[in-house]
Amino acid sequence: KNEVEQSPQNLTAQEGEFITINCSYSVGISALHWLQQHPGGGIVSLFMLSSGKKKHGRLIATINIQEKHSSLHITASHPRDSAVYICAVAGGGADGLTFGKGTHLIIQP
Amino acid sequence: EPEVTQTPSHQVTQMGQEVILRCVPISNHLYFYWYRQILGQKVEFLVSFYNNEISEKSEIFDDQFSVERPDGSNFTLKIRSTKLEDSAMYFCASSEAANRLAYEQFFGPGTRLTVL
């Protein structure tokens, strides 16, 4: 069974700061997902990674398969980025995703 | 853009009652999933469904739960006799193929179930 750990659990930053959220997992995977959950509860998929790096707007996600570690970066953070960011992994022959507890991000103006 | 939809958005029920949560996955997707999130906790996998049968289920998905695809568009989760601890947000998701093959999952907005 995969264990997914995220850090930090809570992060408060000022608008414009560069944000990094980390995720580590214990067992080899086929893919890692970064998800965003807003206060209303809905979940939006940001990235799915199997290797390397992906960029979408101000968001960058990287993964190191050998080290079983991924990072999500937000450049030029904005108050609208305030949300819970969740790391989830797929693989090990399992259909369902295994989720981390999430990082609660608050960007202050 | 295609999206996963769920109804109702909020369901309140009495303990012991049966509830059915409904989902309409994205039309060309083949795999469907239910997840739940108890307030303040992480999201947990319940079940995956493919080709009209359960593909995988977690230890949470016991005999009080069942899933069905009654027609070509709906995917339902039934809880037979609700307990207080079933209170949670339930998310439906769908993907083109099996998640173990590294396909993106698309999530619905969730149904908040409150058991009194």
Side-chain angles (χ1 to χ4, degrees):
Chain A
K1 185 181 173 182
N2 224 328
E3 300 291 334
V4 180
E5 298 290 336
Q6 284 186 240
S7 63
Q9 287 187 25
N10 297 283
L11 178 57
T12 300
Q14 295 298 311
E15 183 174 356
E17 285 189 41
F18 181 82
I19 303 298
T20 296
I21 299 169
N22 296 298
C23 175
S24 61
Y25 51 93
S26 57
V27 177
I29 60 172
S30 57
L32 182 142
H33 299 245
W34 281 104
L35 309 163
Q36 182 189 57
Q37 186 172 34
H38 278 283
I43 294 173
V44 174
S45 178
L46 298 175
F47 294 103
M48 186 185 70
L49 291 162
S50 299
S51 63
K53 177 179 174 178
K54 285 191 176 179
K55 185 175 189 290
H56 185 246
R58 295 179 295 105
L59 301 179
I60 303 165
T62 63
I63 189 168
N64 185 319
I65 295 294
Q66 286 73 31
E67 294 187 3
K68 297 186 177 64
H69 180 269
S70 175
S71 293
L72 176 69
H73 305 287
I74 305 174
T75 62
S77 59
H78 189 276
R80 65 174 174 267
D81 297 326
S82 299
V84 177
Y85 291 83
I86 302 172
C87 170
V89 299
D95 287 342
L97 294 174
T98 301
F99 291 75
K101 291 183 179 178
T103 294
H104 189 192
L105 175 66
I106 297 173
I107 304 296
Q108 294 178 334
Chain B
E1 186 173 325
E3 59 182 17
V4 177
T5 59
Q6 289 185 243
T7 53
S9 56
H10 191 185
Q11 173 95 43
V12 181
T13 190
Q14 296 291 323
M15 190 169 57
Q17 295 296 304
E18 175 183 287
V19 294
I20 297 176
L21 310 184
R22 291 182 167 79
C23 169
V24 179
I26 293 173
S27 61
N28 65 333
H29 285 185
L30 300 177
Y31 271 79
F32 316 120
Y33 311 84
W34 283 103
Y35 295 90
R36 80 169 185 193
Q37 185 178 33
I38 295 170
L39 188 64
Q41 297 187 22
K42 63 182 179 180
V43 179
E44 300 172 290
F45 168 70
L46 291 178
V47 65
S48 60
F49 191 86
Y50 169 72
N51 199 26
N52 281 317
E53 60 183 25
I54 290 174
S55 176
E56 184 190 4
K57 59 183 181 180
S58 72
E59 60 270 16
I60 303 169
F61 194 88
D62 60 22
D63 291 344
Q64 70 159 345
F65 292 95
S66 62
V67 289
E68 192 178 33
R69 189 155 162 84
D71 53 44
S73 58
N74 288 283
F75 177 51
T76 62
L77 174 69
K78 182 193 291 186
I79 309 175
R80 259 181 270 287
S81 177
T82 50
K83 307 185 187 80
L84 295 176
E85 54 264 36
D86 293 327
S87 295
M89 182 77 100
Y90 289 81
F91 292 101
C92 173
S94 69
S95 63
E96 288 181 58
N99 197 49
R100 69 175 83 102
L101 302 176
Y103 278 81
E104 187 175 2
Q105 289 194 13
F106 294 82
F107 288 82
T111 292
R112 183 167 298 284
L113 176 65
T114 302
V115 182
L116 301 176

Short mmCIF file of all heavy atoms in Angstrom, two decimals, chain A residues 54-93:
data_model
loop_
_atom_site.label_atom_id
_atom_site.label_comp_id
_atom_site.label_asym_id
_atom_site.label_seq_id
_atom_site.Cartn_x
_atom_site.Cartn_y
_atom_site.Cartn_z
N LYS A 54 6.23 19.39 -15.97
CA LYS A 54 5.17 19.97 -16.78
C LYS A 54 4.91 21.38 -16.29
O LYS A 54 5.05 21.68 -15.10
CB LYS A 54 3.88 19.13 -16.68
CG LYS A 54 3.92 17.84 -17.46
CD LYS A 54 2.54 17.19 -17.54
CE LYS A 54 2.58 15.95 -18.40
NZ LYS A 54 1.25 15.30 -18.47
N LYS A 55 4.49 22.24 -17.23
CA LYS A 55 4.22 23.64 -16.90
C LYS A 55 2.88 24.03 -17.49
O LYS A 55 2.56 23.69 -18.63
CB LYS A 55 5.34 24.53 -17.45
CG LYS A 55 5.23 26.00 -17.08
CD LYS A 55 6.47 26.76 -17.57
CE LYS A 55 6.53 28.19 -17.05
NZ LYS A 55 5.52 29.07 -17.63
N HIS A 56 2.09 24.74 -16.67
CA HIS A 56 0.82 25.27 -17.17
C HIS A 56 0.61 26.63 -16.53
O HIS A 56 0.31 26.74 -15.34
CB HIS A 56 -0.33 24.33 -16.82
CG HIS A 56 -1.64 24.77 -17.40
ND1 HIS A 56 -2.69 25.18 -16.63
CD2 HIS A 56 -2.05 24.87 -18.68
CE1 HIS A 56 -3.70 25.52 -17.42
NE2 HIS A 56 -3.34 25.34 -18.66
N GLY A 57 0.83 27.67 -17.35
CA GLY A 57 0.71 29.03 -16.81
C GLY A 57 1.75 29.26 -15.73
O GLY A 57 2.95 29.08 -15.96
N ARG A 58 1.30 29.65 -14.52
CA ARG A 58 2.22 29.90 -13.41
C ARG A 58 2.51 28.65 -12.59
O ARG A 58 3.22 28.73 -11.57
CB ARG A 58 1.63 31.00 -12.52
CG ARG A 58 1.51 32.35 -13.20
CD ARG A 58 0.90 33.41 -12.28
NE ARG A 58 -0.49 33.11 -11.94
CZ ARG A 58 -0.88 32.65 -10.77
NH1 ARG A 58 0.00 32.44 -9.79
NH2 ARG A 58 -2.16 32.41 -10.53
N LEU A 59 1.97 27.55 -12.97
CA LEU A 59 2.17 26.30 -12.23
C LEU A 59 3.19 25.42 -12.91
O LEU A 59 3.17 25.27 -14.14
CB LEU A 59 0.85 25.54 -12.11
CG LEU A 59 -0.33 26.24 -11.43
CD1 LEU A 59 -1.55 25.35 -11.45
CD2 LEU A 59 0.02 26.62 -10.02
N ILE A 60 4.08 24.84 -12.09
CA ILE A 60 5.09 23.92 -12.60
C ILE A 60 5.08 22.69 -11.70
O ILE A 60 5.07 22.83 -10.46
CB ILE A 60 6.50 24.55 -12.57
CG1 ILE A 60 6.52 25.84 -13.38
CG2 ILE A 60 7.54 23.56 -13.10
CD1 ILE A 60 7.74 26.70 -13.10
N ALA A 61 5.08 21.51 -12.28
CA ALA A 61 5.16 20.28 -11.49
C ALA A 61 6.34 19.46 -11.97
O ALA A 61 6.59 19.36 -13.18
CB ALA A 61 3.88 19.48 -11.62
N THR A 62 7.07 18.92 -11.01
CA THR A 62 8.22 18.07 -11.34
C THR A 62 8.09 16.76 -10.58
O THR A 62 7.43 16.69 -9.53
CB THR A 62 9.54 18.75 -10.94
OG1 THR A 62 9.55 18.93 -9.52
CG2 THR A 62 9.71 20.09 -11.62
N ILE A 63 8.73 15.74 -11.12
CA ILE A 63 8.73 14.45 -10.43
C ILE A 63 10.08 13.78 -10.60
O ILE A 63 10.69 13.87 -11.69
CB ILE A 63 7.59 13.54 -10.92
CG1 ILE A 63 7.48 12.28 -10.04
CG2 ILE A 63 7.76 13.16 -12.39
CD1 ILE A 63 6.20 11.48 -10.28
N ASN A 64 10.56 13.16 -9.53
CA ASN A 64 11.79 12.38 -9.56
C ASN A 64 11.40 10.96 -9.18
O ASN A 64 11.15 10.65 -8.01
CB ASN A 64 12.82 12.95 -8.57
CG ASN A 64 14.16 12.24 -8.65
OD1 ASN A 64 14.21 11.02 -8.77
ND2 ASN A 64 15.24 13.00 -8.57
N ILE A 65 11.34 10.11 -10.18
CA ILE A 65 10.84 8.74 -9.97
C ILE A 65 11.78 7.96 -9.06
O ILE A 65 11.33 7.20 -8.19
CB ILE A 65 10.69 8.02 -11.32
CG1 ILE A 65 9.61 8.71 -12.18
CG2 ILE A 65 10.35 6.55 -11.12
CD1 ILE A 65 8.22 8.61 -11.63
N GLN A 66 13.08 8.16 -9.24
CA GLN A 66 14.06 7.40 -8.43
C GLN A 66 13.93 7.76 -6.96
O GLN A 66 14.02 6.89 -6.09
CB GLN A 66 15.49 7.68 -8.90
CG GLN A 66 15.88 7.02 -10.21
CD GLN A 66 15.23 7.66 -11.41
OE1 GLN A 66 14.97 8.87 -11.41
NE2 GLN A 66 14.94 6.88 -12.42
N GLU A 67 13.70 9.05 -6.67
CA GLU A 67 13.61 9.49 -5.28
C GLU A 67 12.18 9.43 -4.75
O GLU A 67 11.94 9.74 -3.59
CB GLU A 67 14.16 10.91 -5.15
CG GLU A 67 15.65 10.99 -5.42
CD GLU A 67 16.23 12.36 -5.11
OE1 GLU A 67 15.47 13.24 -4.63
OE2 GLU A 67 17.43 12.56 -5.37
N LYS A 68 11.21 9.06 -5.60
CA LYS A 68 9.81 8.98 -5.21
C LYS A 68 9.35 10.32 -4.61
O LYS A 68 8.79 10.37 -3.50
CB LYS A 68 9.58 7.83 -4.23
CG LYS A 68 9.87 6.45 -4.83
CD LYS A 68 9.48 5.34 -3.86
CE LYS A 68 9.70 3.98 -4.47
NZ LYS A 68 11.10 3.67 -4.77
N HIS A 69 9.54 11.37 -5.37
CA HIS A 69 9.27 12.70 -4.86
C HIS A 69 8.78 13.60 -6.00
O HIS A 69 9.26 13.50 -7.14
CB HIS A 69 10.56 13.30 -4.26
CG HIS A 69 10.37 14.67 -3.70
ND1 HIS A 69 10.59 15.80 -4.45
CD2 HIS A 69 9.98 15.09 -2.48
CE1 HIS A 69 10.33 16.87 -3.71
NE2 HIS A 69 9.97 16.46 -2.50
N SER A 70 7.83 14.46 -5.68
CA SER A 70 7.33 15.42 -6.64
C SER A 70 7.16 16.77 -5.95
O SER A 70 6.95 16.84 -4.73
CB SER A 70 5.98 14.96 -7.19
OG SER A 70 5.41 15.93 -8.05
N SER A 71 7.29 17.83 -6.73
CA SER A 71 7.05 19.17 -6.22
C SER A 71 6.09 19.91 -7.13
O SER A 71 6.11 19.72 -8.35
CB SER A 71 8.36 19.97 -6.13
OG SER A 71 9.22 19.42 -5.16
N LEU A 72 5.26 20.75 -6.52
CA LEU A 72 4.40 21.67 -7.25
C LEU A 72 4.86 23.08 -6.91
O LEU A 72 4.99 23.43 -5.73
CB LEU A 72 2.94 21.48 -6.85
CG LEU A 72 1.93 22.45 -7.48
CD1 LEU A 72 1.79 22.19 -8.98
CD2 LEU A 72 0.57 22.34 -6.80
N HIS A 73 5.15 23.87 -7.94
CA HIS A 73 5.60 25.24 -7.74
C HIS A 73 4.54 26.19 -8.31
O HIS A 73 3.95 25.91 -9.37
CB HIS A 73 6.92 25.49 -8.46
CG HIS A 73 8.01 24.54 -8.08
ND1 HIS A 73 8.65 24.57 -6.86
CD2 HIS A 73 8.56 23.49 -8.78
CE1 HIS A 73 9.57 23.61 -6.83
NE2 HIS A 73 9.53 22.94 -7.96
N ILE A 74 4.36 27.30 -7.62
CA ILE A 74 3.51 28.38 -8.12
C ILE A 74 4.37 29.62 -8.18
O ILE A 74 4.93 30.05 -7.15
CB ILE A 74 2.29 28.62 -7.21
CG1 ILE A 74 1.49 27.34 -7.02
CG2 ILE A 74 1.40 29.72 -7.81
CD1 ILE A 74 0.34 27.47 -6.03
N THR A 75 4.50 30.20 -9.36
CA THR A 75 5.27 31.44 -9.50
C THR A 75 4.31 32.63 -9.42
O THR A 75 3.14 32.51 -9.78
CB THR A 75 6.02 31.48 -10.82
OG1 THR A 75 5.07 31.44 -11.89
CG2 THR A 75 6.96 30.29 -10.97
N ALA A 76 4.82 33.75 -8.92
CA ALA A 76 4.03 34.99 -8.82
C ALA A 76 2.65 34.70 -8.22
O ALA A 76 1.61 34.96 -8.83
CB ALA A 76 3.89 35.65 -10.19
N SER A 77 2.65 34.13 -7.01
CA SER A 77 1.39 33.69 -6.40
C SER A 77 0.40 34.85 -6.24
O SER A 77 0.77 36.01 -6.09
CB SER A 77 1.68 33.05 -5.03
OG SER A 77 2.34 33.96 -4.19
N HIS A 78 -0.88 34.47 -6.28
CA HIS A 78 -1.98 35.43 -6.24
C HIS A 78 -3.02 34.92 -5.25
O HIS A 78 -3.17 33.70 -5.08
CB HIS A 78 -2.57 35.53 -7.66
CG HIS A 78 -3.55 36.64 -7.81
ND1 HIS A 78 -4.89 36.52 -7.47
CD2 HIS A 78 -3.40 37.91 -8.28
CE1 HIS A 78 -5.51 37.65 -7.71
NE2 HIS A 78 -4.63 38.51 -8.21
N PRO A 79 -3.78 35.83 -4.61
CA PRO A 79 -4.81 35.36 -3.67
C PRO A 79 -5.76 34.31 -4.25
O PRO A 79 -6.24 33.44 -3.52
CB PRO A 79 -5.54 36.65 -3.29
CG PRO A 79 -4.48 37.69 -3.37
CD PRO A 79 -3.61 37.29 -4.53
N ARG A 80 -6.01 34.36 -5.55
CA ARG A 80 -6.92 33.36 -6.13
C ARG A 80 -6.30 31.95 -6.16
O ARG A 80 -7.00 30.97 -6.43
CB ARG A 80 -7.36 33.76 -7.54
CG ARG A 80 -6.26 33.81 -8.56
CD ARG A 80 -6.81 34.09 -9.96
NE ARG A 80 -5.73 34.27 -10.92
CZ ARG A 80 -5.21 35.46 -11.23
NH1 ARG A 80 -5.70 36.56 -10.67
NH2 ARG A 80 -4.23 35.56 -12.10
N ASP A 81 -4.99 31.85 -5.89
CA ASP A 81 -4.34 30.54 -5.78
C ASP A 81 -4.65 29.87 -4.44
O ASP A 81 -4.30 28.69 -4.23
CB ASP A 81 -2.82 30.66 -5.93
CG ASP A 81 -2.41 31.18 -7.29
OD1 ASP A 81 -3.08 30.86 -8.29
OD2 ASP A 81 -1.41 31.93 -7.35
N SER A 82 -5.27 30.60 -3.53
CA SER A 82 -5.59 30.04 -2.21
C SER A 82 -6.55 28.86 -2.37
O SER A 82 -7.63 28.99 -2.95
CB SER A 82 -6.23 31.11 -1.33
OG SER A 82 -5.34 32.18 -1.12
N ALA A 83 -6.11 27.71 -1.87
CA ALA A 83 -6.87 26.47 -2.04
C ALA A 83 -6.12 25.37 -1.30
O ALA A 83 -5.04 25.60 -0.75
CB ALA A 83 -7.00 26.10 -3.52
N VAL A 84 -6.68 24.18 -1.33
CA VAL A 84 -5.95 23.00 -0.85
C VAL A 84 -5.38 22.28 -2.07
O VAL A 84 -6.10 22.01 -3.03
CB VAL A 84 -6.87 22.04 -0.05
CG1 VAL A 84 -6.11 20.79 0.37
CG2 VAL A 84 -7.44 22.75 1.18
N TYR A 85 -4.09 22.00 -2.03
CA TYR A 85 -3.41 21.31 -3.13
C TYR A 85 -3.12 19.88 -2.67
O TYR A 85 -2.52 19.65 -1.63
CB TYR A 85 -2.14 22.04 -3.53
CG TYR A 85 -2.47 23.36 -4.19
CD1 TYR A 85 -2.73 24.49 -3.41
CD2 TYR A 85 -2.59 23.47 -5.57
CE1 TYR A 85 -3.08 25.69 -4.00
CE2 TYR A 85 -2.94 24.68 -6.16
CZ TYR A 85 -3.19 25.78 -5.38
OH TYR A 85 -3.55 26.97 -5.97
N ILE A 86 -3.57 18.95 -3.49
CA ILE A 86 -3.52 17.54 -3.11
C ILE A 86 -2.67 16.76 -4.10
O ILE A 86 -2.82 16.92 -5.32
CB ILE A 86 -4.95 16.93 -3.08
CG1 ILE A 86 -5.84 17.70 -2.11
CG2 ILE A 86 -4.89 15.45 -2.70
CD1 ILE A 86 -7.31 17.30 -2.18
N CYS A 87 -1.82 15.94 -3.56
CA CYS A 87 -1.02 15.01 -4.35
C CYS A 87 -1.69 13.64 -4.28
O CYS A 87 -2.12 13.21 -3.20
CB CYS A 87 0.39 14.96 -3.75
SG CYS A 87 1.47 13.69 -4.37
N ALA A 88 -1.80 12.95 -5.40
CA ALA A 88 -2.39 11.62 -5.41
C ALA A 88 -1.61 10.75 -6.38
O ALA A 88 -1.17 11.23 -7.43
CB ALA A 88 -3.86 11.68 -5.81
N VAL A 89 -1.46 9.48 -6.06
CA VAL A 89 -0.65 8.60 -6.91
C VAL A 89 -1.48 7.44 -7.42
O VAL A 89 -2.45 7.00 -6.80
CB VAL A 89 0.60 8.08 -6.16
CG1 VAL A 89 1.48 9.24 -5.74
CG2 VAL A 89 0.23 7.21 -4.97
N ALA A 90 -1.07 6.96 -8.58
CA ALA A 90 -1.72 5.83 -9.23
C ALA A 90 -0.67 4.78 -9.50
O ALA A 90 0.47 5.09 -9.82
CB ALA A 90 -2.35 6.28 -10.55
N GLY A 91 -1.07 3.53 -9.41
CA GLY A 91 -0.13 2.48 -9.79
C GLY A 91 -0.12 1.34 -8.81
O GLY A 91 -0.99 1.22 -7.95
N GLY A 92 0.91 0.51 -8.94
CA GLY A 92 0.99 -0.69 -8.13
C GLY A 92 -0.11 -1.65 -8.47
O GLY A 92 -0.54 -2.45 -7.63
N GLY A 93 -0.63 -1.56 -9.69
CA GLY A 93 -1.71 -2.46 -10.09
C GLY A 93 -3.07 -2.04 -9.62
O GLY A 93 -4.06 -2.75 -9.85
#
